[in-house]
Amino acid sequence: MNSHVKSIQWGKRIVRTIELYPTLGSTNQFASTFIKNGGRSGTVLWALEQTEGKGRLGRKWDSDPSSLTFSLVWQCPDNIAPQNLTLTVGLGLVESLKVLVPKVKVKWPNDLWVEERKLGGILTEAVRYQGKLWIILGVGLNVNSAPGQGASPRISLKEATNCSWSRLGVLDLALVGVERGFELSAGGQDLSRLFRKHGNFLDRNIMVFWGGHTFQAKAKDVLPDGRLLIQDAQGERALMPEEISVRFDACF
Ligand code: BTN
């Protein structure tokens, strides 16, 4: 570990240590190098400033020095990546952040929204190194500002609560949510019921962007493996999160 890096023991089940970096390009990108340099499973790489954040589907993630940007590296014990981890971590984050923002919801598959605006996002990536499968779970949250109003409207925790927040305090709360997400992903939970409770999209009309096509559908359910069940003119279909993007549709 670089001697300028500060390290905090967090010491719960999945997350063990937080390493604090003044500036990184992308914590997810850095995590990949960290793994290849022998970094430990259960480490959270927290950048006080992230300059080239990555979003889902090749988009960029904007942040500023009042944002929370971190990635957890985790080695899958049995080489089987939990397919639904992004979704269950979204649920876990909602459960923990609700104490601050009662209206926070999961927008399938990887966003946290407050009413019609985005509070944060999750980017999960998998890396294979020396025969082992590692998960990089990146989380970005708008804490005291909401940069990058481009693609979807944004909101910060500060705006949602009328109060400024310490990023360390929000990180601590978020990590409780991340651990809860791992617990939910281990199975035995009724994810459909949890999405009905904590999601903002079931039973709504949506626009689906899929492999260059766009169509209207109704979001019906989230299946235990994380697929979204939709109904459109062709009947019911289950869609994989990796392939598609959805927007709410006000027009029909
Ligand atoms: C999205 O909404 O598309 C996902 C955004 C994920 C952003 C986080 S910020 C920390 C981590 N490092 C990155 O480069 N991206 C994720």
Side-chain angles (χ1 to χ4, degrees), residues 26-28 50 53-56 61 69-71 110-111 118 121-123 138-140:
S26 152
T27 57
N28 269 35
Q50 180 175 256
K54 299 194 294 176
R56 209 169 73 93
W61 177 257
T69 49
F70 69 88
S71 300
N110 69 317
D111 285 0
K118 182 161 170 166
I122 303 166
L123 177 66
V139 177

Side-chain angles (χ1 to χ4, degrees), residues 79-121:
N79 259 4
I80 297 170
Q83 259 191 335
N84 58 11
L85 197 58
T86 305
L87 298 146
T88 57
V89 166
L91 289 171
L93 285 171
V94 163
E95 286 187 358
S96 65
L97 293 172
K98 258 190 191 308
V99 295
L100 306 183
V101 197
K103 287 184 175 164
V104 66
K105 298 272 184 196
V106 181
K107 174 180 171 280
W108 188 92
N110 69 317
D111 285 0
L112 301 178
W113 280 45
V114 177
E115 296 185 320
E116 302 299 308
R117 290 193 281 162
K118 182 161 170 166
L119 178 70

Side-chain angles (χ1 to χ4, degrees), residues 191-202:
L191 292 186
S192 174
R193 184 188 65 79
L194 287 174
F195 272 104
R196 214 153 271 288
K197 183 170 172 200
H198 296 311
N200 67 349
F201 53 91
L202 291 184

Side-chain angles (χ1 to χ4, degrees), residues 19 31 33-43 73 75 129 134:
E19 287 192 4
T33 311
F34 178 85
I35 291 165
K36 289 169 188 161
N37 287 337
R40 199 168 159 233
S41 178
T43 307
V73 297
Q75 191 208 312
Y129 182 62
W134 291 73

